[in-house]
Amino acid sequence: MIEVNNDILKDVASGFNLPVKPDVLQKLQDELASKEPELNRVATIISGDVATAAAVLKIINSPYYGLSRSVTDVRQAVMFLGLENVTSLVVGYLLQAAFDQSQCGIQLGRFWDSANDIANVACLIGRKLKTPLPVENLHMLGLFHDAGIPAMGIRFKDYAALLQEHAESDTSLLITKENNRYHTNHAIVGYYLASSWHLPKNMCQLILQHHSDDFFEIIKDEFELSCCACLRLADNLVHVNRYFRPEPQWGYIEQDVLDILKIDEDDYQDLKEDVEDYFVNSH
């Protein structure tokens, strides 16, 4: 397991210029934390930020949702998606908008394309499980789990070169290479960012530990185990479809992941076909 303490978090705070939590997200979180959160107030908060409102409408009208008619009003979008789902979409949009390509050494468009694929595939898996998982949690986790990577790309001039080296030879973990070169890694940076944006604590922990070899042995909470297993399966299936080889850790965690999600060989083959269809239809 990856351990963090106050000294480590102070180093991240002082060494990285991380995006601050947007006002619209704070207002949304305040509303959701109220005794009786109201759909109309949530819609008003989102509508008050033109770019965020446009992003929500664009996403809900995308082929991914397959609606029979266009949604042109944020209130309708909130009614259709529900409070938790629309908040997850807003968080995802704000996260992507928070990083400036002109300051970052990696190609953010390519990075977010991959993160969106992992988020969407995690949702696809979560819906098909014998005990379905909340897609809003999986979508947020899929987008945020590697959010430390663009922050590393801003902080370190040679980080893009490290990513290229990793893409050419990914037999060892990226966080291992990061630790060796920078004495920190994207999981810790992503955890700090998620915590500063006040994401749910269990999501923050999953972001921190998503590369930990011993996560499935140590964690006992079934929801956290299932979410992490779903993320790891999605990450591997996306990796296979993009690079035609398994994700480096997959051989070590495959059986744990399939056991936790109660997926047998037939289920696994069906999911692989579904993900292949997703890539054919969305790329």
Side-chain angles (χ1 to χ4, degrees), residues 202 206 215 218-227 260:
N202 55 3
L206 288 170
F215 181 90
I218 293 175
I219 299 300
K220 304 303 179 186
D221 183 274
E222 288 188 13
F223 178 73
E224 291 186 17
L225 284 171
S226 296
C227 284
I260 289 166

Side-chain angles (χ1 to χ4, degrees), residues 58-67 281:
K58 180 180 179 181
I59 293 168
I60 197 173
N61 287 310
S62 69
Y64 181 73
Y65 284 96
L67 300 183
N281 295 325

Side-chain angles (χ1 to χ4, degrees), residues 55 58-59 62 64-65 88-97 108-124 135 138-147 231 234-235 238 242 275 278-279 282-283:
K58 180 180 179 181
I59 293 168
S62 69
Y64 181 73
Y65 284 96
S88 177
L89 286 185
V90 168
V91 170
Y93 163 72
L94 293 172
L95 176 65
Q96 294 177 62
L108 291 178
R110 186 181 302 172
F111 171 80
W112 291 121
D113 284 347
S114 178
N116 274 293
D117 282 339
I118 293 171
N120 290 337
V121 169
C123 291
L124 183 157
V135 293
L138 296 176
H139 191 266
M140 184 183 296
L141 183 59
L143 284 178
F144 240 102
H145 75 289
D146 277 341
L231 173 68
D235 192 8
V238 169
R242 281 179 171 268
V275 174
Y278 162 81
F279 270 88
S282 63
H283 289 72

Side-chain angles (χ1 to χ4, degrees), residues 29-281:
Q29 290 175 335
D30 290 345
E31 178 61 27
L32 291 175
S34 65
K35 289 184 178 180
E36 296 183 2
E38 287 191 6
L39 180 150
N40 285 332
R41 285 203 293 262
V42 168
T44 299
I45 291 167
I46 295 171
S47 298
D49 187 293
V50 175
T52 302
V56 168
L57 292 175
K58 180 180 179 181
I59 293 168
I60 197 173
N61 287 310
S62 69
Y64 181 73
Y65 284 96
L67 300 183
S68 58
R69 61 187 180 88
S70 295
V71 174
T72 58
D73 179 77
V74 171
R75 186 176 182 278
Q76 290 178 324
V78 176
M79 288 179 64
F80 177 79
L81 292 168
L83 298 181
E84 297 295 337
N85 263 323
V86 79
T87 301
S88 177
L89 286 185
V90 168
V91 170
Y93 163 72
L94 293 172
L95 176 65
Q96 294 177 62
F99 291 97
D100 185 350
Q101 179 63 78
S102 67
Q103 298 179 6
C104 188
I106 70 171
Q107 289 298 316
L108 291 178
R110 186 181 302 172
F111 171 80
W112 291 121
D113 284 347
S114 178
N116 274 293
D117 282 339
I118 293 171
N120 290 337
V121 169
C123 291
L124 183 157
I125 296 167
R127 291 189 183 102
K128 290 181 173 289
L129 295 175
K130 295 178 177 67
T131 303
L133 290 168
V135 293
E136 62 270 17
N137 295 94
L138 296 176
H139 191 266
M140 184 183 296
L141 183 59
L143 284 178
F144 240 102
H145 75 289
D146 277 341
I149 287 178
M152 299 279 284
I154 292 172
R155 173 67 178 82
F156 301 110
K157 299 293 186 184
D158 63 341
Y159 188 68
L162 179 69
L163 285 185
Q164 183 60 38
E165 292 170 17
H166 181 68
E168 293 170 357
S169 176
D170 61 2
T171 53
S172 63
L173 292 180
L174 177 59
I175 60 169
T176 301
K177 297 171 183 174
E178 292 168 341
N179 286 330
N180 289 339
R181 187 172 298 188
Y182 308 118
H183 307 294
T184 190
N185 62 68
H186 72 271
I188 291 174
V189 177
Y191 167 82
Y192 181 85
L193 176 61
S195 299
S196 67
W197 281 32
H198 298 104
L199 265 59
K201 289 184 178 179
N202 55 3
M203 290 294 106
C204 295
Q205 279 298 318
L206 288 170
I207 291 164
L208 176 64
Q209 304 295 350
H210 71 276
H211 283 303
S212 297
D213 285 328
D214 54 358
F215 181 90
F216 297 118
E217 300 169 14
I218 293 175
I219 299 300
K220 304 303 179 186
D221 183 274
E222 288 188 13
F223 178 73
E224 291 186 17
L225 284 171
S226 296
C227 284
C228 187
C230 194
L231 173 68
R232 298 308 302 274
L233 177 54
D235 192 8
N236 182 65
L237 290 175
V238 169
H239 198 276
V240 168
N241 277 274
R242 281 179 171 268
Y243 305 110
F244 309 106
R245 62 182 183 272
E247 187 269 334
Q249 276 184 298
W250 182 243
Y252 300 103
I253 63 172
E254 177 178 5
Q255 198 56 53
D256 285 330
V257 167
L258 300 182
D259 288 346
I260 289 166
L261 298 179
K262 298 180 174 60
I263 292 174
D264 60 26
E265 183 59 31
D266 288 339
D267 296 330
Y268 185 48
Q269 293 304 318
D270 288 343
L271 282 173
K272 286 174 66 177
E273 291 177 8
D274 289 339
V275 174
E276 288 169 6
D277 290 342
Y278 162 81
F279 270 88
V280 168
N281 295 325

